[in-house]
Each structure stands twice: as C-alpha cells, then as structure tokens.
Amino acid sequence: MIYFVTSNLGKFEEARYILGELEMKNIGYTEVQADTLEEVVQFGLREVQAKITAPIMIEDAGVFITSLNGFPGVYSAYVQRTIGNDGILGLMQNRVDRRAFFRSVVGYVEPGLEPVIFRGEVHGTIGFKACGSMGFGYDPIFYVGNKSLAEMNIAEKNMISHRGKSLALFKQWLTDR
Ligand code: ITT
C-alpha cells in the first residue's frame, strides 16, 4: 500500500484512478518557499519520511501563465486561496496571450530507497470565463482546446493532464522495477 500525503481529495481521486491501491493521509507537510516544484517535493518527502515508515508519495502542482511571467507557479495554492479564479481572470482581462501550462511533480520514497521524482505537463489557455463544475482549483479557467478541465470527468482529465502524465510515469516505474 502506498500512502499519498495530501490535503486535496480531488488530487487523491485522480491518483487512485491511475494507481489503484492508494491511501490518503492528510497529515500535512511544510511547503517550503522555493523557486521550483521539485524543491518543494524533495523537502516535503524528507519531512514525511521522518514521520511515516512506509511507501509514501506526495505531489506538488502549479499553473504557470506565460503573460504573467510564470505566475502563480509555485505560489498557486496561496493565489487560489486568496484571489482565486476570479482574481486570475481579472489579472488576465486585457491580455491577448492566454497561454498557460500546469506542471505536476510526483515524489515517491520507501524505506531503503532514494527518493524518485516524476514530472508531467499540460499546455492550454486561460479562458475569459470559468466553465464546468468537475475537478478543483484552477480547472474551470484552464482550457485545453475549447473545453475547460472542469468540463472533463476524471478519466478524461487524466488522459491529458499534468498529473495524469506524471502518475503514468510513476506507475510505469513501479511496474518495471
Ligand atoms: P497538497 O496537500 O497535496 O499540497 P494542494 O491543494 O495544496 O494539496 P498544490 O500545492 O499541489 O495542492 O496545488 C497548488 C494549487 O494549484 C492548489 O490551489 C490546487 O487547487 C491547484 N491545482 C493543483 N492541481 C490542479 C489541477 O489538476 N487542476 C486545477 N487546479 C490544480
């Protein structure tokens, strides 16, 4: 059994869809202020590893908006909590370049093993309005083609998403070793 340390049920459901046996552990870890998601994950893994002696994964994600020079990026959780999707739509109001991408970094460790990391990205655009009621976080304003991620069910989102890709690589690694 792998423990997924996360506070985010949406993430957990997406991960369970791909990995199968997975248990959610909402015990928290320090999300350090760093320039990259990889650093956040490496730091977080060390912290949870000290608390649980078992196979553990964590995942950190962020949305990077081209015309905002990559903002909110590593600050995505804080920005979602504070200004939210309406705030992002406001910041994007007069911007012609709508390009954005999501990045997911999965970290895994088990007793006696060096941590391993897997990445995934999905490129899309920030829409002009929120649409859809599935998913979570930035999903209603992040579009791939003419559909927002919040208009996709878990199976559809996993097929194209940042997390779907990083988790597929993780799953492959688990199978191959
Ligand atoms: P953890 O406990 O796993 O850290 P979190 O919700 O804080 O859960 P992150 O720090 O990885 O997760 O996510 C940063 C922000 O980006 C947060 O507000 C998420 O809701 C949002 N986010 C992450 N993945 C997303 C996705 O697939 N679709 C939409 N928003 C996403």
Side-chain angles (χ1 to χ4, degrees), residues 21-74:
E21 278 214 341
L22 198 64
E23 193 168 307
M24 181 167 170
K25 275 247 180 280
N26 188 0
I27 56 166
Y29 58 90
T30 317
E31 288 210 12
V32 289
Q33 201 169 331
D35 286 349
T36 64
L37 299 175
E38 282 82 356
E39 286 171 83
V40 176
V41 166
Q42 270 152 358
F43 201 88
L45 268 185
R46 258 180 262 138
E47 188 176 319
V48 289
Q49 203 180 6
K51 288 191 212 162
I52 314 174
T53 315
I56 309 160
M57 70 166 267
I58 63 176
E59 190 251 8
D60 201 36
V63 62
F64 297 75
I65 302 175
T66 305
S67 70
L68 303 179
N69 297 327
F71 182 83
V74 291

Side-chain angles (χ1 to χ4, degrees), residues 75-143:
Y75 305 109
S76 292
Y78 179 75
V79 169
Q80 181 62 228
R81 270 200 309 276
T82 51
I83 63 172
N85 289 340
D86 285 344
I88 293 289
L89 290 177
L91 288 175
M92 292 296 290
Q93 212 164 24
N94 296 315
R95 292 179 198 263
V96 178
D97 182 354
R98 312 295 298 183
R99 286 175 298 164
F101 65 90
F102 263 115
R103 180 175 289 154
S104 156
V105 177
V106 166
Y108 174 75
V109 75
E110 62 183 39
L113 190 86
E114 283 297 309
V116 280
I117 276 186
F118 305 90
R119 296 175 188 80
E121 280 182 12
V122 58
H123 290 253
T125 53
I126 301 299
F128 290 93
K129 60 178 175 59
C131 215
S133 57
M134 291 182 271
F136 59 91
Y138 297 94
D139 282 343
I141 60 165
F142 188 94
Y143 288 69

Side-chain angles (χ1 to χ4, degrees), residues 6-8 11 31 60-61 80 136 138-139 157 162-163:
T6 180
S7 60
N8 185 321
K11 267 189 189 183
E31 288 210 12
D60 201 36
Q80 181 62 228
F136 59 91
Y138 297 94
D139 282 343
K157 181 179 168 186
H162 51 313
R163 183 167 301 105

